[in-house]
Amino acid sequence: MLKTRLSTNHLLGIKELTKDDIQLIFHWTKQFKEVISRPIKKVPSLRDITIANLFFENSTRTRLSFELAEKRLSADVINFSASNSSLKKGESLVDTINNILAMKVDVIVLRHPEPGSAKFLSQEINSQIINAGDGTHEHPTQALLDSFSIEERLGDLKNKKVVIIGDIMHSRVAISNILCIQKLGGCVAVCGPKTLIPRKIESLGVTIINDVVEALEWADAANILRVQHERMERSYFPSIREYQMQFGITMKRLNKVKNIPVIMHPGPINRGVEISSEVADSEHSIILDQVENGVALRMSVLYLLTSHAENMD
Ligand code: CP
């Protein structure tokens, strides 16, 4: 039987979620997908709840998707971006957030470049926290929408094979995806330049496949990641051209495999580098389905977390 509540008051990472939590989130994602397909897309579920979206790092999909999800649920929404705030005048993160909370905010959606920032805040302030990506640590709602999108296309993730291709080392999406897919009974492999695969990745039960065509042959779904130059202090491969030659996902490569896997990408895409336009826009790609599902999935997370807000520590 499906439970009715999440086992956690915050969404800090996939690590803190149980399989039942994930299935409950998916159950409500399906309900909200139906809601937002109606002519009137708004429901009053979060009326009287105030949510602050605090983004200390650039974002397009996650920021807009959370804002839309909150508005579809009738929450009051405020948006904060670090670049035009008083942080520039020397105010600390905790002081900034406590000032925002003094305005009677119930939930904080936080994107921050520092790994562990969401957990730190959850211990420092009296508000519910949703991690919208913390450095190289976790990006739980991205992983949840990725797994939801795979299940929507391929059915139950149990025993399905998912390969993550690209810059695994600097990717919070990779870590959260590995944890989520495994909790749902799927198998994960990674593929990319050896310098961008963390040394201890196999201790997570992940297989390394060095050859990209072999990886595509093995997989039911392939999640392609961009190279995160902004997180690199040095060069990890000779040139973009060489990366593209060795790991870029092209139609020529896909046509070499017997069963072409479902193609995914969390965005933003660097067309012509990790994925060709032909592949990104092909019938095999569910990239825009992932974005579409992100709104309903975030509605589900917000709904489930706020529906037991009275139980907060
Ligand atoms: N996938 C993702 O997190 O994209 P944004 O950085 O645009 O939010």
Side-chain angles (χ1 to χ4, degrees):
M1 207 176 75
L2 203 63
K3 58 186 206 151
T4 55
R5 289 184 170 182
L6 294 179
S7 61
T8 170
N9 282 326
H10 307 279
L11 179 56
L12 303 178
I14 299 294
K15 200 170 166 204
E16 287 82 10
L17 295 180
T18 64
K19 182 179 177 184
D20 285 350
D21 288 329
I22 297 171
Q23 285 175 336
L24 181 63
I25 292 169
F26 288 2
H27 167 79
W28 282 102
T29 303
K30 286 179 200 149
Q31 310 298 312
F32 285 121
K33 259 199 98 164
E34 190 276 317
V35 166
I36 58 179
S37 70
R38 296 178 196 160
I40 296 171
K41 298 174 173 56
K42 233 169 154 164
V43 284
S45 315
L46 264 64
R47 204 167 48 200
D48 301 327
I49 299 275
T50 304
I51 303 176
N53 298 315
L54 309 187
F55 279 69
F56 294 82
E57 209 186 52
N58 295 342
S59 169
T60 300
R61 280 146 291 270
T62 313
R63 187 170 57 82
L64 293 177
S65 177
F66 264 112
E67 187 174 345
L68 203 53
E70 291 151 6
K71 288 179 171 167
R72 297 271 192 254
L73 291 167
S74 306
D76 290 322
V77 179
I78 54 172
N79 291 308
F80 166 96
S81 93
S83 56
N84 53 8
S85 74
S86 287
L87 280 164
K88 297 268 176 226
K89 302 176 194 164
E91 189 169 57
S92 76
L93 176 62
V94 172
D95 279 339
T96 299
I97 292 180
N98 273 327
N99 276 272
I100 293 168
L101 291 179
M103 300 175 206
K104 308 285 180 238
V105 167
D106 304 294
V107 180
I108 284 182
V109 175
L110 179 74
R111 169 165 290 194
H112 198 280
E114 208 54 57
S117 49
K119 183 160 190 176
F120 168 74
L121 263 196
S122 73
Q123 292 160 345
E124 293 291 319
I125 63 169
N126 187 25
S127 167
Q128 287 185 288
I129 309 287
I130 298 176
N131 181 3
D134 60 334
T136 52
H137 178 230
E138 278 227 40
H139 191 350
T141 55
Q142 180 67 47
L144 288 164
L145 75 88
D146 289 346
S147 284
F148 180 87
S149 302
I150 297 173
E151 290 204 340
E152 193 176 57
R153 182 61 79 103
L154 298 177
D156 199 329
L157 251 165
K158 193 168 162 51
N159 298 327
K160 296 285 186 316
K161 293 183 275 187
V162 182
V163 66
I164 306 173
I165 302 174
D167 178 1
I168 313 298
M169 173 93 84
H170 300 98
S171 175
R172 54 194 174 210
V173 173
I175 298 301
S176 290
N177 260 273
I178 290 167
L179 297 174
C180 193
I181 293 160
Q182 288 179 339
K183 283 190 184 199
L184 293 170
C187 309
V188 187
V190 293
C191 175
K194 281 194 174 75
T195 48
L196 290 175
I197 307 271
R199 252 182 248 149
K200 291 187 178 161
I201 195 96
E202 282 161 305
S203 67
L204 295 177
V206 170
T207 308
I208 300 173
I209 304 176
N210 293 315
D211 180 77
V212 76
V213 174
E214 218 177 284
L216 293 167
E217 186 74 76
W218 175 85
D220 298 306
N223 203 348
I224 321 296
L225 304 180
R226 79 185 167 90
V227 177
Q228 307 212 12
H229 294 286
E230 73 276 19
R231 297 194 199 284
M232 295 181 183
E233 280 150 15
R234 62 183 178 90
S235 197
Y236 286 80
F237 47 85
S239 68
I240 293 287
R241 171 107 184 105
E242 290 215 26
Y243 182 90
Q244 193 276 331
M245 296 274 283
Q246 218 181 334
F247 296 101
I249 306 303
T250 59
M251 221 56 208
K252 195 172 164 198
R253 283 205 161 116
L254 283 189
N255 284 333
K256 285 186 180 164
V257 309
K258 215 172 349 169
N259 295 311
I260 296 179
V262 168
I263 299 295
M264 309 170 68
H265 195 308
I269 292 176
N270 290 152
R271 288 174 184 260
V273 182
E274 73 271 10
I275 188 168
S276 72
S277 276
E278 209 186 352
V279 172
D281 301 331
S282 73
E283 59 182 323
H284 307 291
S285 162
I286 60 165
I287 294 171
L288 291 180
D289 297 340
Q290 291 170 260
V291 178
E292 183 186 336
N293 288 334
V295 177
L297 185 122
R298 291 180 173 113
M299 287 173 81
S300 167
V301 166
L302 288 159
Y303 173 74
L304 286 166
L305 283 176
T306 53
S307 65
H308 67 155
E310 70 272 16
N311 291 344
M312 278 196 63
D313 295 334

